[in-house]
């Protein structure tokens, strides 16, 4: 599997006010709604504040405020015809590409056994999206474009680079690890680099917290524990369901996390390094890391019940608890029992837990 990540430069400020009402009309929204947004975006001004200096007012004829509650909705509607046109182009050219969007960040995903074929598909998709975004007054920031390949091969993995110089972009050289939206991937999806990075980050955070003890009164054991639980532990457990789930090998991760918590317990309790680990954690009132992960993962399994019925995750999960059968192409419903048994994913655990929960409810109805 190969991914091409790119970023749309100045996404919020470059929205065209004249094009947006036309898109809203084309989508089929009521004309009053499009007229409301047309008037809402007209006559806007902005000022710049720098220390005590306030600039005069400037007219803002393009863009929307990045902090506005309507900005994300307007931008999603603004880009909907772009990606609809992109899907039509890819369908005509028979290029198998999947698209994932995160506000102004986009991912092209190509699943092919041949890396050269994946690079060709990604190159064509990138060329098409550049021309489509140009028509909407949007520009791709080539400096933030990145490529990464995943493979199950146990041998040396050296994928070829992707040359985008013909499109005005750089030559993308593959890396050993790839950091994207806070996640650190390696080409085998082990997430060892991810846990190493965040565990070291927590250790440095704990070392910096020692400076808080140099104040007039210092901080007591309970305050140290709260600092660790609130400011350090959420850092290392960020996105933990990616590597902590049923059937996943967790020895490496738990070993790293136990060493990290041991260092934190030494700081909290103030004892010698030769003290027994379990005793230090008991004195520090810290829950053992593997028990804490179990508690968090049980809560994560119930998270799906809070999603909207039309959420993409609900379409992927099994529909035994729904009134109508899911028709999503990658739904778990289409997996055979043997395939589902061998599949390792947190979504499988979520699906099993939700089916168990809803079957229990239906039994008492």
């Amino acid at each position: 599997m190969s991914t091409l990540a790119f970023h749309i430069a100045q996404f919020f400020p470059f929205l065209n006010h004249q094009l947006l009402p036309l898109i809203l009309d084309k989508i089929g929204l009521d004309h009053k709604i499009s007229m409301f947004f047309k008037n809402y975006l007209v006559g806007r001004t902005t000022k710049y504040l720098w220390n005590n200096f306030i600039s005069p007012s400037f007219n803002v004829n393009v863009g929307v405020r990045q902090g506005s509650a309507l900005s994300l909705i307007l931008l999603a509607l603004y880009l909907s015809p772009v990606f609809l046109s992109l899907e039509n182009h890819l369908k005509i050219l028979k290029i198998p590409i999947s698209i994932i969007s995160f506000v102004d960040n986009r991912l092209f995903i190509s699943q092919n056994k041949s890396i050269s074929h994946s690079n060709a598909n990604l190159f064509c998709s990138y060329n098409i999206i550049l021309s489509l975004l140009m028509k909407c007054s949007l520009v791709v920031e080539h400096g933030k474009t990145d490529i990464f390949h995943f493979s199950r091969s146990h041998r040396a993995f050296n994928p070829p680079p992707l040359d985008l110089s013909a499109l005005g972009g750089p030559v993308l050289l593959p890396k050993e690890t790839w950091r994207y939206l806070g996640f650190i991937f390696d080409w085998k999806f082990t997430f060892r680099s991810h846990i190493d990075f965040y565990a070291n980050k927590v250790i440095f955070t704990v070392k910096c917290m020692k400076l808080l003890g140099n104040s007039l009164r210092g901080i007591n054991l309970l305050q140290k524990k709260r600092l660790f639980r609130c400011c350090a532990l959420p850092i290392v457990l960020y996105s933990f369901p990616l590597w902590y789930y049923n059937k996943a090998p967790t020895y490496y991760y738990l070993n790293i996390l136990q060493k990290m918590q041991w260092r934190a317990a030494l700081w909290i309790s103030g004892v010698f390094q030769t003290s027994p680990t379990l005793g230090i954690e008991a004195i520090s009132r810290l829950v053992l890391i593997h028990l804490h992960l179990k508690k968090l993962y049980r809560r994560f399994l119930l998270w799906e019940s809070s999603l909207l019925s039309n959420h993409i995750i609900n379409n992927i999960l099994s529909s035994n608890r729904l009134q109508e059968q899911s028709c999503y192409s990658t739904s778990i419903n289409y997996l055979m029992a043997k395939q589902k048994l061998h599949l390792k994913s947190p979504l499988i655990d979520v699906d099993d837990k939700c089916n168990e929960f809803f079957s229990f409810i239906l039994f008492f109805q």
Side-chain angles (χ1 to χ4, degrees):
M1 185 177 74
S2 303
T3 61
L4 179 69
F6 61 94
H7 175 79
I8 302 176
Q10 298 295 317
F11 191 32
F12 288 89
F14 281 5
L15 188 142
N16 192 321
H17 290 176
Q18 297 179 352
L19 182 59
L20 180 60
L22 299 176
I23 294 175
L24 296 179
D25 286 332
K26 188 70 174 178
I27 291 175
L29 295 178
D30 192 279
H31 184 67
K32 294 180 180 179
I33 297 177
S34 59
M35 289 304 298
F36 166 77
F37 283 111
K38 186 175 182 180
N39 296 327
Y40 171 75
L41 298 172
V42 170
R44 301 171 69 91
T45 59
T46 186
K47 291 183 179 181
Y48 296 95
L49 174 65
W50 181 264
N51 293 331
N52 295 326
F53 171 75
I54 301 178
S55 69
S57 298
F58 295 95
N59 293 325
V60 182
N61 298 322
V62 294
V64 293
R65 289 191 305 162
Q66 190 163 350
S68 174
L70 291 173
S71 298
L72 295 176
I73 300 174
L74 291 176
L75 292 171
L77 294 173
Y78 188 79
L79 282 180
S80 56
V82 175
F83 286 97
L84 178 62
S85 180
L86 174 64
E87 289 180 359
N88 293 333
H89 279 80
L90 295 177
K91 192 176 294 184
I92 293 172
L93 296 174
K94 296 182 180 180
I95 300 177
I97 290 289
S98 301
I99 308 167
I100 302 179
S101 302
F102 307 97
V103 191
D104 53 351
N105 295 288
R106 299 292 186 271
L107 271 181
F108 286 152
I109 302 175
S110 176
Q111 296 182 352
N112 199 303
K113 294 182 179 180
S114 173
I115 298 297
S116 56
H117 288 171
S118 295
N119 281 351
N121 293 336
L122 294 174
F123 180 88
C124 294
S125 304
Y126 193 70
N127 186 20
I128 296 171
I129 195 63
L130 285 180
S131 59
L132 292 175
L133 290 175
M134 190 73 70
K135 295 178 181 178
C136 294
S137 305
L138 296 173
V139 180
V140 172
E141 193 172 351
H142 294 297
K144 294 185 178 180
T145 303
D146 207 352
I147 192 170
F148 196 78
H149 303 281
F150 299 94
S151 175
R152 296 178 179 177
S153 175
H154 296 284
R155 301 177 182 178
F157 184 60
N158 297 310
L162 177 60
D163 189 2
L164 299 177
S165 56
L167 306 177
V171 178
L172 302 178
L173 300 175
K175 306 174 183 177
E176 293 185 0
T177 59
W178 176 45
R179 185 173 181 179
Y180 187 70
L181 301 180
F183 306 99
I184 301 177
F185 300 94
D186 54 31
W187 56 276
K188 293 194 73 173
F189 267 127
T190 60
F191 291 102
R192 292 193 174 187
S193 301
H194 177 90
I195 200 69
D196 288 342
F197 175 82
Y198 284 104
N200 288 329
K201 192 172 183 178
V202 167
I203 291 173
F204 284 121
T205 303
V206 170
K207 288 182 178 179
C208 293
M209 285 180 179
K210 294 179 181 179
L211 301 175
L212 300 174
N214 295 332
S215 56
L216 182 61
R217 295 184 179 180
I219 53 179
N220 57 36
L221 186 145
L222 183 59
Q223 292 170 335
K224 289 180 178 180
K225 175 197 168 186
R226 286 177 179 173
L227 276 173
F228 175 70
R229 290 290 301 273
C230 299
C231 302
L233 202 55
I235 296 175
V236 73
L237 297 183
Y238 173 68
S239 67
F240 76 95
L242 291 175
W243 49 266
Y244 185 86
Y245 52 89
N246 188 23
K247 301 178 184 178
T250 58
Y251 173 78
Y252 178 84
Y253 312 112
L254 292 178
N255 187 31
I256 296 296
L257 293 177
Q258 286 170 357
K259 292 179 181 178
M260 175 271 303
Q261 183 157 290
W262 173 74
R263 288 177 175 268
L266 288 177
W267 167 68
I268 294 172
S269 59
V271 298
F272 295 107
Q273 292 188 4
T274 54
S275 303
T277 303
L278 293 178
I280 298 174
E281 294 184 353
I283 295 173
S284 305
R285 301 180 183 178
L286 293 176
V287 181
L288 297 179
I289 194 67
H290 68 279
L291 297 178
H292 185 62
L293 280 169
K294 284 183 179 179
K295 179 190 70 174
L296 294 179
Y297 193 68
R298 287 172 184 170
R299 294 179 180 178
F300 164 76
L301 294 179
L302 298 175
W303 152 79
E304 186 272 341
S305 60
S306 64
L307 298 177
L308 297 175
S309 58
N310 59 347
H311 196 278
I312 187 172
I313 296 297
N314 279 328
N315 292 328
I316 293 175
L317 297 178
S318 174
S319 60
N320 294 337
R321 60 192 179 278
L322 301 178
Q323 297 297 327
E324 56 184 7
Q325 186 77 4
S326 175
C327 59
Y328 200 70
S329 59
T330 57
S331 173
I332 296 177
N333 284 322
Y334 296 108
L335 294 177
M336 299 174 63
K338 189 176 181 180
Q339 291 176 322
K340 188 176 179 180
L341 184 64
H342 292 285
L343 183 62
K344 297 179 181 181
S345 171
L347 288 179
I348 297 295
D349 297 343
V350 172
D351 184 69
D352 293 339
K353 188 69 176 181
C354 290
N355 281 332
E356 177 185 343
F357 175 72
F358 280 91
S359 298
F360 178 79
I361 292 178
L362 292 173
F363 177 77
F364 286 95
Q365 284 183 351

